[in-house]
Amino acid sequence: PYSGIGGSWQSQVSRTIEGLNDTWSVAIPASVSRGSATALPWSDSSLDAVITDPPYYDNISYAVLSDFFYVWLKRTVGNFYKEHFAADLTPKKSEAIADATRHGGKTVSKRIYEQMMEHSFAKAHRVLKPGGQMVVVYAHKTTLGWATLVNALQSAGFVVNEAWPLDTEMKGKIGFADKAMLASSIFLVARKRAGSKTGSYESDVQPELQEIVRERVETLWKQGISGADLVIACVGAGLRAFTRFARVEYANGEEVPAERFLAEVETVVLETILARLSREVGRAASPTTTRHAACPTSLSGVDPATRFYLLWRYTYRWTELDAGEAIVFANGTGVELDGPGSLSYGSRPLVKKKKGKYRLLDFTERGKDEKLGLPADGHPVPLIDALHRTLWLMENRPLELPEFLRESRVNREQMRLVAQALAGPALKRGSGSLPDAVPGWQPGPHHELAALAKLTANWRAVVEDAALTPLEREARRTGQQILFDKENSHE
């Protein structure tokens, strides 16, 4: 209470005084009323704007949090506002939140939440003037929450014209209880849709979507927006292509549901981000002479597992995901999370599933496997497997690296690009303090970042020189050219 930090007595008194001074300085009076968004008291087409920060799907129950304040307010001002303090605690059933414990299961709670959101937006649509705007603040990280929002907006007759991220969240709040929260809030700007036109996904929506996403990734990247904030902000911007139609259909006449559209938008966004990462790595890469120097400086051609790992690390950092969101993300990157041949299957999984959540495994958890990164049954190994084994050997058994690099036959140039992308500023951005400055830190993903930095800084010594055959090493020492190397003629 006496520390002077944010929750201290001094801080709270100071903020209260600041709040009172700000209130007294307001010269324009306002009319404040308390009620439900599902029953707006104003007449049709009477408001210039509606600005709302709705509940984020299943993120936080503010009704439960409000009980703490409610019981004290009831004892202090309850007699002045008896209609608002009639019950012992805050009303819960009328809160728009997907709470399975309140409504008897996830399916029912999702439907009730969506109905309340749609009803609220329909009321906002009614009271808005024809040229009025609605601004919706949304900061939920999952596409499941977004699908509900999009369905409600489209059904209520709104077109999302713009979506921009604003830095609104306190840094200490971002990781709150591992909730799906962003470092910024996405501000969606919507207007009333004119007419009820049906659009073709292939000819109307998809071309516009591609154009919007490319522009927005470039713009926000330059502004320093990254990770899930960049992905969700671009998804939000892509809603314009979808919501300007009352209904969107595939060529076969099937309606495109919001969930499927958002999954496809996420795929477009992730592919665009991967291309942007390639350019970033390409600019940072220094020219080296390798057997694979002819390979293009691009990450777009890497195997699906490596691409999945790159994009997960970029989008979610080290966070584990609920099963539903992880599967949506996996579909967007073209991989499977469950079943034979999936990323969580077999003796060398890339993803671990536990209690309905998925998380990526890093090199400290995978690299000890002596078979990791080596060809089997003639199939090329994922680059991420070879990179994880390389990192582990570099840190634990460096003398075994030369043999592994020769046996793995890995495309070293592409592996270097993946390592640079994972160690580069795009993935470091927003990753927080150094590992030893983080309370409760344990070896893991942050340790991987340090190992990647070490590997990329010493690439030639650790990888290129280690991978040379004795004949190549002698040729490099003497400056002679090898015309034919019988030992490695398969390369």
Side-chain angles (χ1 to χ4, degrees):
Y2 307 113
S3 63
I5 62 174
S8 67
W9 182 86
Q10 300 101 310
S11 173
Q12 294 304 307
V13 170
S14 175
R15 290 182 182 181
T16 301
I17 294 171
E18 288 175 9
L20 290 171
N21 287 333
D22 287 343
T23 303
W24 287 331
S25 67
V26 176
I28 304 173
S31 174
V32 179
S33 61
R34 176 183 177 269
S36 173
T38 59
L40 301 182
W42 302 289
S43 58
D44 295 359
S45 303
S46 59
L47 301 184
D48 296 297
V50 172
I51 302 164
T52 178
D53 187 350
Y56 303 153
Y57 190 58
D58 60 351
N59 206 24
I60 295 173
S61 173
Y62 289 102
V64 172
L65 293 180
S66 297
D67 282 340
F68 174 85
F69 304 96
Y70 182 90
V71 294
W72 294 107
L73 287 169
K74 183 173 181 177
R75 284 158 176 76
T76 53
V77 298
N79 288 333
F80 297 105
Y81 305 99
K82 292 182 179 180
E83 71 276 19
H84 301 319
F85 292 95
D88 292 333
L89 295 171
T90 60
K92 305 296 191 299
K93 287 190 176 181
S94 58
E95 183 183 21
I97 183 172
D99 188 340
T101 61
R102 246 177 242 175
H103 303 292
K106 287 186 177 181
T107 303
V108 177
S109 64
K110 178 180 181 297
R111 186 176 71 249
I112 290 175
Y113 172 77
E114 185 168 345
Q115 288 172 349
M116 294 183 74
M117 291 284 281
E118 183 179 336
H119 196 49
S120 298
F121 288 146
K123 294 297 182 183
H125 188 279
R126 178 184 64 78
V127 300
L128 267 179
K129 294 178 180 178
Q133 295 184 83
M134 182 169 73
V135 178
V136 181
V137 185
Y138 211 65
H140 201 276
K141 190 181 289 186
T142 72
T143 51
L144 293 175
W146 276 82
T148 304
L149 178 74
V150 173
N151 278 330
L153 283 169
Q154 190 180 39
S155 299
F158 282 104
V159 180
V160 177
N161 297 109
E162 265 302 350
W164 291 102
L166 272 71
D167 191 2
T168 57
E169 302 303 311
M170 295 174 64
K171 300 306 178 189
K173 180 183 175 185
I174 295 169
F176 177 73
D178 288 328
K179 292 290 184 180
M181 299 173 73
L182 303 174
S184 58
S185 295
I186 310 301
F187 282 63
L188 300 175
V189 183
R191 292 183 185 271
K192 290 184 174 184
R193 186 193 310 114
S196 55
K197 185 180 178 182
T198 297
S200 164
Y201 181 77
E202 290 81 4
S203 60
D204 296 325
V205 176
Q206 204 168 35
E208 184 180 2
L209 174 64
Q210 297 276 355
E211 184 179 342
I212 292 171
V213 168
R214 280 195 298 269
E215 176 273 322
R216 198 49 50 91
V217 168
E218 290 296 323
T219 300
L220 295 180
W221 192 290
K222 291 175 183 176
Q223 297 295 325
I225 306 297
S226 64
D229 292 85
L230 176 62
V231 174
I232 294 299
C234 292
V235 168
L239 296 180
R240 181 172 70 225
F242 185 76
T243 56
R244 68 188 182 96
F245 300 102
R247 175 185 169 94
V248 177
E249 296 179 347
Y250 289 115
N252 62 4
E254 177 190 355
E255 183 176 9
V256 182
E259 285 189 19
R260 194 181 303 176
F261 170 74
L262 286 167
E264 294 189 26
V265 174
E266 190 171 43
T267 300
V268 174
V269 171
L270 292 174
E271 289 297 328
T272 308
I273 288 173
L274 195 66
R276 190 64 176 76
L277 275 172
S278 295
R279 297 214 310 272
E280 197 92 346
V281 172
R283 279 197 290 268
S286 58
T288 55
T289 303
T290 70
R291 290 194 189 102
H292 306 287
C295 294
T297 309
S298 173
L299 296 167
S300 58
V302 300
D303 58 273
T306 303
R307 177 157 54 191
F308 171 83
Y309 192 89
L310 267 168
L311 290 171
W312 182 304
R313 284 289 187 237
Y314 177 83
T315 307
Y316 297 112
R317 310 299 182 195
W318 326 118
T319 307
E320 62 181 14
L321 291 184
D322 290 332
E325 185 61 20
I327 291 169
V328 170
F329 185 83
N331 291 339
T333 53
V335 297
E336 294 288 339
L337 288 184
D338 289 303
S342 70
L343 298 186
S344 64
Y345 186 81
S347 58
R348 287 176 281 279
L350 185 62
V351 177
K352 183 175 182 179
K353 182 179 181 181
K354 185 178 180 180
K355 295 181 179 179
K357 293 181 180 290
Y358 290 88
R359 70 174 181 88
L360 287 184
L361 300 176
D362 77 323
F363 87 97
T364 64
E365 299 171 287
R366 306 180 73 231
K368 191 175 182 180
D369 189 329
E370 296 184 356
K371 298 295 184 181
L372 188 71
L374 295 179
D377 303 325
H379 298 296
V381 298
L383 282 168
I384 191 61
D385 288 0
L387 178 60
H388 275 172
R389 180 63 174 166
T390 299
L391 290 170
W392 192 88
L393 289 173
M394 176 188 73
E395 295 286 88
N396 298 279
R397 300 177 192 168
L399 295 179
E400 296 180 19
L401 253 179
E403 182 182 359
F404 167 73
L405 291 170
R406 286 193 292 272
E407 289 183 0
S408 68
R409 303 180 186 178
V410 65
N411 184 324
R412 297 196 297 277
E413 179 64 15
Q414 275 203 325
M415 187 170 76
R416 180 175 66 87
L417 295 178
V418 172
Q420 286 178 324
L422 288 169
L427 271 79
K428 284 181 183 176
R429 203 178 297 155
S431 57
S433 308
L434 292 173
D436 58 2
V438 178
W441 176 82
Q442 296 178 348
H446 289 286
H447 187 65
E448 178 167 297
L449 194 60
L452 284 163
K454 177 181 175 181
L455 176 65
T456 54
N458 301 279
W459 183 264
R460 179 163 181 170
V462 175
V463 175
E464 295 298 334
D465 290 350
L468 295 175
T469 64
L471 187 59
E472 289 172 325
R473 197 172 291 110
E474 178 64 19
R476 174 173 288 184
R477 188 183 68 81
T478 60
Q480 296 177 342
Q481 183 179 3
I482 298 175
L483 296 179
F484 181 72
D485 183 355
K486 182 177 180 181
E487 180 184 349
N488 290 280
S489 59
H490 62 273
E491 295 187 8

